[in-house]
Amino acid sequence: MEWRRCGRHRGSRRVERHLSADNGSGYRRLLLAFYEQARDDYLRNHPARRKGQTGKALFSEVEAWVESQERGIFSLEWTCDHLGGTASYARQQLREEAGNDRAKRKARRMM
C-alpha cells in the first residue's frame, strides 16, 4: 500500500492513498475518508498532545479500533484490506507520527 501525506491546510495533514484511475471509486474514497477521520482523531487526541481530559474518551475509542485485530466490517484490518494495504503498516505509521509530534513539541519547549 502506498500512502502519501498531503497538506490540506496548516496544522493538518491528510493521508491519501495514491489512487489510479481504475480504483478511485466512491467506495474507496469513502473508506479513505473513514480512515482519515480515525487517523485525525487518533493524532489530535493522543495523550502526548492533550493538556486536559478533553478527548480522552474519543482517543480511547479510536485507540481500541487501531489496536484491534478483529476483521469485522469497518475494522482497521478490514478497511486496510479493502484499500489494498496492511493494518500493521497503518498502525506503525500512526504510532510513529504520534511520537514525532511529541518530540517536536518537546524541542519547541526547550528553545
Side-chain angles (χ1 to χ4, degrees):
M1 174 190 249
E2 186 179 330
W3 297 93
R4 63 186 165 106
R5 280 179 250 169
C6 301
R8 195 179 334 183
H9 51 81
R10 190 185 122 126
S12 171
R13 279 180 263 153
R14 186 173 142 214
V15 175
E16 185 175 283
R17 183 154 188 316
H18 198 61
L19 297 171
S20 63
D22 63 326
N23 67 4
S25 70
Y27 171 75
R28 287 189 180 275
R29 288 192 305 263
L30 177 63
L31 284 178
L32 183 59
F34 174 75
Y35 173 80
E36 287 176 346
Q37 183 63 52
R39 177 191 169 277
D40 289 347
D41 289 344
Y42 181 89
L43 294 174
R44 188 178 306 117
N45 296 294
H46 193 275
R49 296 191 78 161
R50 275 197 329 265
K51 292 184 179 176
Q53 294 300 315
T54 310
K56 185 176 183 178
L58 180 57
F59 177 76
S60 295
E61 186 176 327
V62 175
E63 182 182 38
W65 180 78
V66 167
E67 299 301 329
S68 174
Q69 299 292 318
E70 77 175 62
R71 302 188 72 75
I73 190 166
F74 290 108
S75 66
L76 180 63
E77 298 280 341
W78 184 89
T79 301
C80 289
D81 286 347
H82 283 79
L83 288 173
T86 63
S88 60
Y89 179 75
R91 282 185 197 97
Q92 176 187 352
Q93 292 300 105
L94 284 169
R95 290 178 193 134
E96 285 178 11
E97 194 163 347
N100 289 342
D101 285 350
R102 184 179 183 192
K104 287 176 189 174
R105 279 190 310 282
K106 187 176 182 179
R108 269 187 250 137
R109 277 185 272 159
M110 299 189 88
M111 290 181 167

